[in-house]
mmCIF file of all heavy atoms in Angstrom:
data_model
loop_
_atom_site.group_PDB
_atom_site.id
_atom_site.type_symbol
_atom_site.label_atom_id
_atom_site.label_comp_id
_atom_site.label_asym_id
_atom_site.label_seq_id
_atom_site.Cartn_x
_atom_site.Cartn_y
_atom_site.Cartn_z
ATOM 1 N N ALA Q 59 -1.864 -26.802 20.387
ATOM 2 C CA ALA Q 59 -2.175 -27.489 19.128
ATOM 3 C C ALA Q 59 -1.791 -26.720 17.863
ATOM 4 O O ALA Q 59 -1.601 -27.324 16.801
ATOM 5 C CB ALA Q 59 -3.667 -27.824 19.085
ATOM 6 N N ASN Q 60 -1.695 -25.411 17.922
ATOM 7 C CA ASN Q 60 -1.318 -24.623 16.741
ATOM 8 C C ASN Q 60 -1.081 -23.165 17.158
ATOM 9 O O ASN Q 60 -1.371 -22.793 18.298
ATOM 10 C CB ASN Q 60 -2.394 -24.717 15.632
ATOM 11 C CG ASN Q 60 -3.758 -24.278 16.131
ATOM 12 O OD1 ASN Q 60 -3.958 -23.114 16.461
ATOM 13 N ND2 ASN Q 60 -4.698 -25.211 16.213
ATOM 14 N N GLY Q 61 -0.609 -22.374 16.220
ATOM 15 C CA GLY Q 61 -0.262 -20.991 16.551
ATOM 16 C C GLY Q 61 -1.462 -20.096 16.779
ATOM 17 O O GLY Q 61 -1.371 -19.088 17.489
ATOM 18 N N THR Q 62 -2.596 -20.456 16.180
ATOM 19 C CA THR Q 62 -3.816 -19.665 16.397
ATOM 20 C C THR Q 62 -4.321 -19.900 17.819
ATOM 21 O O THR Q 62 -4.677 -18.950 18.531
ATOM 22 C CB THR Q 62 -4.899 -20.059 15.361
ATOM 23 O OG1 THR Q 62 -4.315 -20.008 14.058
ATOM 24 C CG2 THR Q 62 -6.094 -19.144 15.426
ATOM 25 N N ASP Q 63 -4.343 -21.170 18.234
ATOM 26 C CA ASP Q 63 -4.715 -21.479 19.628
ATOM 27 C C ASP Q 63 -3.776 -20.753 20.590
ATOM 28 O O ASP Q 63 -4.215 -20.247 21.623
ATOM 29 C CB ASP Q 63 -4.587 -22.988 19.902
ATOM 30 C CG ASP Q 63 -5.832 -23.762 19.487
ATOM 31 O OD1 ASP Q 63 -6.718 -23.174 18.854
ATOM 32 O OD2 ASP Q 63 -5.901 -24.964 19.808
ATOM 33 N N ALA Q 64 -2.493 -20.736 20.267
ATOM 34 C CA ALA Q 64 -1.522 -20.103 21.167
ATOM 35 C C ALA Q 64 -1.915 -18.647 21.416
ATOM 36 O O ALA Q 64 -1.898 -18.172 22.556
ATOM 37 C CB ALA Q 64 -0.119 -20.197 20.574
ATOM 38 N N LEU Q 65 -2.299 -17.949 20.349
ATOM 39 C CA LEU Q 65 -2.724 -16.544 20.495
ATOM 40 C C LEU Q 65 -4.004 -16.443 21.324
ATOM 41 O O LEU Q 65 -4.125 -15.586 22.201
ATOM 42 C CB LEU Q 65 -2.962 -15.935 19.108
ATOM 43 C CG LEU Q 65 -1.715 -15.576 18.304
ATOM 44 C CD1 LEU Q 65 -2.058 -15.433 16.825
ATOM 45 C CD2 LEU Q 65 -1.088 -14.294 18.836
ATOM 46 N N THR Q 86 -0.873 -8.503 8.061
ATOM 47 C CA THR Q 86 -0.345 -9.776 8.584
ATOM 48 C C THR Q 86 -1.346 -10.873 8.275
ATOM 49 O O THR Q 86 -2.394 -10.630 7.672
ATOM 50 C CB THR Q 86 -0.079 -9.695 10.112
ATOM 51 O OG1 THR Q 86 0.413 -10.972 10.559
ATOM 52 C CG2 THR Q 86 -1.314 -9.374 10.929
ATOM 53 N N PHE Q 87 -1.020 -12.107 8.718
ATOM 54 C CA PHE Q 87 -1.957 -13.218 8.594
ATOM 55 C C PHE Q 87 -3.125 -12.991 9.565
ATOM 56 O O PHE Q 87 -2.954 -12.376 10.617
ATOM 57 C CB PHE Q 87 -1.234 -14.540 8.904
ATOM 58 C CG PHE Q 87 -2.117 -15.737 8.765
ATOM 59 C CD1 PHE Q 87 -2.664 -16.066 7.534
ATOM 60 C CD2 PHE Q 87 -2.429 -16.515 9.862
ATOM 61 C CE1 PHE Q 87 -3.502 -17.172 7.406
ATOM 62 C CE2 PHE Q 87 -3.265 -17.620 9.738
ATOM 63 C CZ PHE Q 87 -3.794 -17.944 8.508
ATOM 64 N N ALA Q 88 -4.275 -13.532 9.227
ATOM 65 C CA ALA Q 88 -5.517 -13.194 9.948
ATOM 66 C C ALA Q 88 -5.624 -13.735 11.367
ATOM 67 O O ALA Q 88 -6.440 -13.242 12.156
ATOM 68 C CB ALA Q 88 -6.713 -13.700 9.145
ATOM 69 N N ALA Q 89 -4.804 -14.730 11.726
ATOM 70 C CA ALA Q 89 -5.016 -15.420 13.019
ATOM 71 C C ALA Q 89 -5.094 -14.452 14.202
ATOM 72 O O ALA Q 89 -5.924 -14.629 15.100
ATOM 73 C CB ALA Q 89 -3.896 -16.429 13.251
ATOM 74 N N THR Q 90 -4.248 -13.445 14.191
ATOM 75 C CA THR Q 90 -4.170 -12.524 15.329
ATOM 76 C C THR Q 90 -5.512 -11.818 15.552
ATOM 77 O O THR Q 90 -6.055 -11.822 16.654
ATOM 78 C CB THR Q 90 -3.062 -11.461 15.069
ATOM 79 O OG1 THR Q 90 -2.083 -12.021 14.222
ATOM 80 C CG2 THR Q 90 -2.476 -10.959 16.349
ATOM 81 N N GLU Q 92 -8.359 -12.618 14.233
ATOM 82 C CA GLU Q 92 -9.434 -13.611 14.348
ATOM 83 C C GLU Q 92 -9.707 -13.974 15.813
ATOM 84 O O GLU Q 92 -10.853 -13.993 16.260
ATOM 85 C CB GLU Q 92 -9.016 -14.856 13.564
ATOM 86 C CG GLU Q 92 -10.017 -15.973 13.551
ATOM 87 C CD GLU Q 92 -9.516 -17.105 12.673
ATOM 88 O OE1 GLU Q 92 -8.340 -17.529 12.834
ATOM 89 O OE2 GLU Q 92 -10.271 -17.575 11.832
ATOM 90 N N PRO Q 131 2.222 -7.204 18.705
ATOM 91 C CA PRO Q 131 3.038 -6.979 17.519
ATOM 92 C C PRO Q 131 3.324 -8.335 16.858
ATOM 93 O O PRO Q 131 3.468 -9.350 17.548
ATOM 94 C CB PRO Q 131 4.329 -6.367 18.076
ATOM 95 C CG PRO Q 131 4.378 -6.757 19.507
ATOM 96 C CD PRO Q 131 2.983 -7.094 19.958
ATOM 97 N N VAL Q 132 3.360 -8.336 15.540
ATOM 98 C CA VAL Q 132 3.652 -9.577 14.800
ATOM 99 C C VAL Q 132 5.047 -9.421 14.202
ATOM 100 O O VAL Q 132 5.312 -8.445 13.494
ATOM 101 C CB VAL Q 132 2.621 -9.790 13.662
ATOM 102 C CG1 VAL Q 132 2.902 -11.101 12.930
ATOM 103 C CG2 VAL Q 132 1.205 -9.777 14.226
ATOM 104 N N HIS Q 133 5.926 -10.370 14.493
ATOM 105 C CA HIS Q 133 7.295 -10.300 13.954
ATOM 106 C C HIS Q 133 7.257 -10.869 12.528
ATOM 107 O O HIS Q 133 7.659 -12.005 12.280
ATOM 108 C CB HIS Q 133 8.259 -11.063 14.846
ATOM 109 C CG HIS Q 133 8.275 -10.560 16.267
ATOM 110 N ND1 HIS Q 133 8.051 -9.242 16.599
ATOM 111 C CD2 HIS Q 133 8.507 -11.193 17.442
ATOM 112 C CE1 HIS Q 133 8.136 -9.093 17.917
ATOM 113 N NE2 HIS Q 133 8.399 -10.261 18.441
ATOM 114 N N LEU Q 134 6.787 -10.049 11.612
ATOM 115 C CA LEU Q 134 6.422 -10.553 10.293
ATOM 116 C C LEU Q 134 7.624 -10.891 9.416
ATOM 117 O O LEU Q 134 8.606 -10.164 9.391
ATOM 118 C CB LEU Q 134 5.551 -9.507 9.574
ATOM 119 C CG LEU Q 134 4.673 -10.079 8.463
ATOM 120 C CD1 LEU Q 134 3.526 -10.902 9.027
ATOM 121 C CD2 LEU Q 134 4.120 -8.977 7.570
ATOM 122 N N PHE Q 135 7.496 -11.979 8.699
ATOM 123 C CA PHE Q 135 8.463 -12.452 7.691
ATOM 124 C C PHE Q 135 9.821 -12.839 8.272
ATOM 125 O O PHE Q 135 10.767 -13.097 7.526
ATOM 126 C CB PHE Q 135 8.666 -11.414 6.566
ATOM 127 C CG PHE Q 135 7.410 -11.069 5.797
ATOM 128 C CD1 PHE Q 135 7.292 -9.841 5.140
ATOM 129 C CD2 PHE Q 135 6.348 -11.962 5.712
ATOM 130 C CE1 PHE Q 135 6.135 -9.517 4.420
ATOM 131 C CE2 PHE Q 135 5.192 -11.651 4.992
ATOM 132 C CZ PHE Q 135 5.090 -10.419 4.351
ATOM 133 N N ASP Q 158 3.509 -12.080 18.689
ATOM 134 C CA ASP Q 158 3.181 -13.157 17.753
ATOM 135 C C ASP Q 158 4.463 -13.493 16.993
ATOM 136 O O ASP Q 158 4.878 -12.801 16.070
ATOM 137 C CB ASP Q 158 2.070 -12.728 16.785
ATOM 138 C CG ASP Q 158 1.687 -13.868 15.832
ATOM 139 O OD1 ASP Q 158 2.444 -14.850 15.748
ATOM 140 O OD2 ASP Q 158 0.641 -13.763 15.167
ATOM 141 N N ASN Q 159 5.059 -14.603 17.425
ATOM 142 C CA ASN Q 159 6.382 -14.976 16.929
ATOM 143 C C ASN Q 159 6.309 -16.148 15.952
ATOM 144 O O ASN Q 159 7.287 -16.866 15.756
ATOM 145 C CB ASN Q 159 7.249 -15.344 18.148
ATOM 146 C CG ASN Q 159 8.704 -15.433 17.811
ATOM 147 O OD1 ASN Q 159 9.197 -14.694 16.960
ATOM 148 N ND2 ASN Q 159 9.408 -16.346 18.458
ATOM 149 N N ALA Q 160 5.140 -16.348 15.342
ATOM 150 C CA ALA Q 160 4.957 -17.507 14.464
ATOM 151 C C ALA Q 160 5.945 -17.513 13.290
ATOM 152 O O ALA Q 160 6.287 -18.566 12.772
ATOM 153 C CB ALA Q 160 3.520 -17.535 13.931
ATOM 154 N N GLN Q 161 6.390 -16.330 12.879
ATOM 155 C CA GLN Q 161 7.238 -16.278 11.675
ATOM 156 C C GLN Q 161 8.699 -15.957 11.985
ATOM 157 O O GLN Q 161 9.485 -15.803 11.060
ATOM 158 C CB GLN Q 161 6.677 -15.228 10.697
ATOM 159 C CG GLN Q 161 5.264 -15.555 10.227
ATOM 160 C CD GLN Q 161 4.827 -14.706 9.034
ATOM 161 O OE1 GLN Q 161 5.600 -13.947 8.465
ATOM 162 N NE2 GLN Q 161 3.564 -14.848 8.659
ATOM 163 N N ALA Q 162 9.057 -15.835 13.259
ATOM 164 C CA ALA Q 162 10.421 -15.321 13.521
ATOM 165 C C ALA Q 162 11.208 -16.130 14.540
ATOM 166 O O ALA Q 162 12.190 -15.638 15.083
ATOM 167 C CB ALA Q 162 10.328 -13.869 13.982
ATOM 168 N N THR Q 185 4.012 -16.134 21.418
ATOM 169 C CA THR Q 185 3.342 -17.326 20.877
ATOM 170 C C THR Q 185 4.052 -17.740 19.593
ATOM 171 O O THR Q 185 4.710 -16.922 18.949
ATOM 172 C CB THR Q 185 1.865 -17.032 20.529
ATOM 173 O OG1 THR Q 185 1.827 -16.067 19.471
ATOM 174 C CG2 THR Q 185 1.105 -16.497 21.727
ATOM 175 N N THR Q 186 3.918 -19.017 19.253
ATOM 176 C CA THR Q 186 4.465 -19.440 17.972
ATOM 177 C C THR Q 186 3.634 -20.543 17.347
ATOM 178 O O THR Q 186 2.766 -21.129 17.994
ATOM 179 C CB THR Q 186 5.942 -19.871 18.085
ATOM 180 O OG1 THR Q 186 6.551 -19.741 16.802
ATOM 181 C CG2 THR Q 186 6.105 -21.315 18.540
ATOM 182 N N SER Q 187 3.931 -20.799 16.080
ATOM 183 C CA SER Q 187 3.280 -21.871 15.320
ATOM 184 C C SER Q 187 4.355 -22.833 14.843
ATOM 185 O O SER Q 187 5.436 -22.394 14.442
ATOM 186 C CB SER Q 187 2.576 -21.254 14.100
ATOM 187 O OG SER Q 187 2.317 -22.253 13.123
ATOM 188 N N PHE Q 188 4.056 -24.124 14.900
ATOM 189 C CA PHE Q 188 4.971 -25.114 14.323
ATOM 190 C C PHE Q 188 4.396 -25.693 13.029
ATOM 191 O O PHE Q 188 4.678 -26.844 12.668
ATOM 192 C CB PHE Q 188 5.254 -26.242 15.333
ATOM 193 C CG PHE Q 188 5.835 -25.767 16.635
ATOM 194 C CD1 PHE Q 188 5.210 -26.074 17.848
ATOM 195 C CD2 PHE Q 188 6.997 -25.012 16.672
ATOM 196 C CE1 PHE Q 188 5.746 -25.642 19.055
ATOM 197 C CE2 PHE Q 188 7.545 -24.571 17.875
ATOM 198 C CZ PHE Q 188 6.910 -24.891 19.069
ATOM 199 N N PHE Q 189 3.566 -24.934 12.343
ATOM 200 C CA PHE Q 189 3.042 -25.333 11.028
ATOM 201 C C PHE Q 189 4.234 -25.786 10.171
ATOM 202 O O PHE Q 189 5.320 -25.211 10.279
ATOM 203 C CB PHE Q 189 2.332 -24.118 10.399
ATOM 204 C CG PHE Q 189 1.625 -24.425 9.119
ATOM 205 C CD1 PHE Q 189 0.387 -25.048 9.116
ATOM 206 C CD2 PHE Q 189 2.204 -24.087 7.891
ATOM 207 C CE1 PHE Q 189 -0.261 -25.334 7.927
ATOM 208 C CE2 PHE Q 189 1.560 -24.378 6.705
ATOM 209 C CZ PHE Q 189 0.319 -25.000 6.721
ATOM 210 N N PRO Q 190 4.059 -26.840 9.349
ATOM 211 C CA PRO Q 190 5.222 -27.432 8.668
ATOM 212 C C PRO Q 190 6.147 -26.453 7.953
ATOM 213 O O PRO Q 190 7.369 -26.648 7.944
ATOM 214 C CB PRO Q 190 4.567 -28.400 7.672
ATOM 215 C CG PRO Q 190 3.276 -28.784 8.317
ATOM 216 C CD PRO Q 190 2.816 -27.573 9.076
ATOM 217 N N SER Q 191 5.604 -25.409 7.345
ATOM 218 C CA SER Q 191 6.475 -24.511 6.570
ATOM 219 C C SER Q 191 7.152 -23.437 7.429
ATOM 220 O O SER Q 191 7.947 -22.651 6.924
ATOM 221 C CB SER Q 191 5.659 -23.833 5.469
ATOM 222 O OG SER Q 191 4.669 -23.023 6.067
ATOM 223 N N LYS Q 192 6.849 -23.419 8.718
ATOM 224 C CA LYS Q 192 7.480 -22.409 9.579
ATOM 225 C C LYS Q 192 8.972 -22.739 9.768
ATOM 226 O O LYS Q 192 9.398 -23.858 9.521
ATOM 227 C CB LYS Q 192 6.779 -22.372 10.948
ATOM 228 C CG LYS Q 192 5.330 -21.892 10.855
ATOM 229 C CD LYS Q 192 5.258 -20.409 10.536
ATOM 230 C CE LYS Q 192 3.890 -19.818 10.691
ATOM 231 N NZ LYS Q 192 3.126 -19.660 9.447
ATOM 232 N N GLY Q 198 2.741 -31.678 11.000
ATOM 233 C CA GLY Q 198 1.296 -31.558 11.211
ATOM 234 C C GLY Q 198 1.085 -30.179 11.798
ATOM 235 O O GLY Q 198 1.781 -29.237 11.422
ATOM 236 N N ASP Q 199 0.162 -30.080 12.760
ATOM 237 C CA ASP Q 199 -0.049 -28.792 13.428
ATOM 238 C C ASP Q 199 0.609 -28.783 14.797
ATOM 239 O O ASP Q 199 0.711 -29.823 15.454
ATOM 240 C CB ASP Q 199 -1.554 -28.533 13.595
ATOM 241 C CG ASP Q 199 -2.157 -27.861 12.369
ATOM 242 O OD1 ASP Q 199 -1.569 -26.870 11.897
ATOM 243 O OD2 ASP Q 199 -3.205 -28.321 11.892
ATOM 244 N N GLY Q 200 0.998 -27.602 15.229
ATOM 245 C CA GLY Q 200 1.577 -27.459 16.565
ATOM 246 C C GLY Q 200 1.770 -25.993 16.875
ATOM 247 O O GLY Q 200 1.779 -25.150 15.970
ATOM 248 N N GLY Q 201 1.907 -25.690 18.148
ATOM 249 C CA GLY Q 201 2.150 -24.302 18.554
ATOM 250 C C GLY Q 201 2.629 -24.265 19.992
ATOM 251 O O GLY Q 201 2.738 -25.315 20.643
ATOM 252 N N ALA Q 202 2.935 -23.075 20.474
ATOM 253 C CA ALA Q 202 3.381 -22.955 21.869
ATOM 254 C C ALA Q 202 3.237 -21.513 22.340
ATOM 255 O O ALA Q 202 3.192 -20.583 21.529
ATOM 256 C CB ALA Q 202 4.830 -23.398 22.024
ATOM 257 N N HIS Q 290 11.667 -15.959 7.287
ATOM 258 C CA HIS Q 290 10.540 -16.872 7.051
ATOM 259 C C HIS Q 290 10.041 -16.663 5.618
ATOM 260 O O HIS Q 290 9.714 -17.606 4.917
ATOM 261 C CB HIS Q 290 9.432 -16.613 8.065
ATOM 262 C CG HIS Q 290 8.243 -17.478 7.826
ATOM 263 N ND1 HIS Q 290 8.318 -18.853 7.824
ATOM 264 C CD2 HIS Q 290 6.958 -17.182 7.531
ATOM 265 C CE1 HIS Q 290 7.134 -19.359 7.551
ATOM 266 N NE2 HIS Q 290 6.296 -18.363 7.360
ATOM 267 N N TYR Q 319 0.604 -10.092 1.861
ATOM 268 C CA TYR Q 319 -0.779 -10.541 1.885
ATOM 269 C C TYR Q 319 -1.546 -9.683 0.900
ATOM 270 O O TYR Q 319 -1.238 -8.500 0.765
ATOM 271 C CB TYR Q 319 -1.327 -10.416 3.301
ATOM 272 C CG TYR Q 319 -0.576 -11.354 4.242
ATOM 273 C CD1 TYR Q 319 0.550 -10.930 4.927
ATOM 274 C CD2 TYR Q 319 -0.979 -12.680 4.375
ATOM 275 C CE1 TYR Q 319 1.252 -11.807 5.752
ATOM 276 C CE2 TYR Q 319 -0.286 -13.558 5.210
ATOM 277 C CZ TYR Q 319 0.837 -13.107 5.879
ATOM 278 O OH TYR Q 319 1.547 -13.975 6.673
HETATM 279 C C1 PLP R 1 1.893 -14.431 11.984
HETATM 280 C C2 PLP R 1 1.118 -15.690 12.226
HETATM 281 N N1 PLP R 1 0.395 -15.807 13.352
HETATM 282 C C3 PLP R 1 -0.310 -16.907 13.611
HETATM 283 C C4 PLP R 1 -0.349 -17.961 12.748
HETATM 284 C C5 PLP R 1 -1.221 -19.130 13.047
HETATM 285 O O1 PLP R 1 -0.541 -20.339 13.184
HETATM 286 P P1 PLP R 1 -1.263 -21.737 12.899
HETATM 287 O O2 PLP R 1 -1.422 -21.891 11.432
HETATM 288 O O3 PLP R 1 -0.322 -22.736 13.502
HETATM 289 O O4 PLP R 1 -2.560 -21.711 13.618
HETATM 290 C C6 PLP R 1 0.403 -17.898 11.571
HETATM 291 C C7 PLP R 1 0.386 -19.029 10.634
HETATM 292 O O5 PLP R 1 0.422 -18.969 9.470
HETATM 293 C C8 PLP R 1 1.149 -16.725 11.294
HETATM 294 O O6 PLP R 1 1.864 -16.602 10.178
#
Side-chain angles (χ1 to χ4, degrees):
N60 57 66
T62 309
D63 275 8
L65 284 161
T86 179
F87 181 63
T90 332
E92 181 177 49
V132 182
H133 302 328
L134 202 72
F135 300 155
D158 182 346
N159 193 34
Q161 299 193 6
T185 65
T186 203
S187 161
F188 302 124
F189 186 79
S191 64
K192 294 289 191 261
D199 273 312
H290 178 58
Y319 296 91

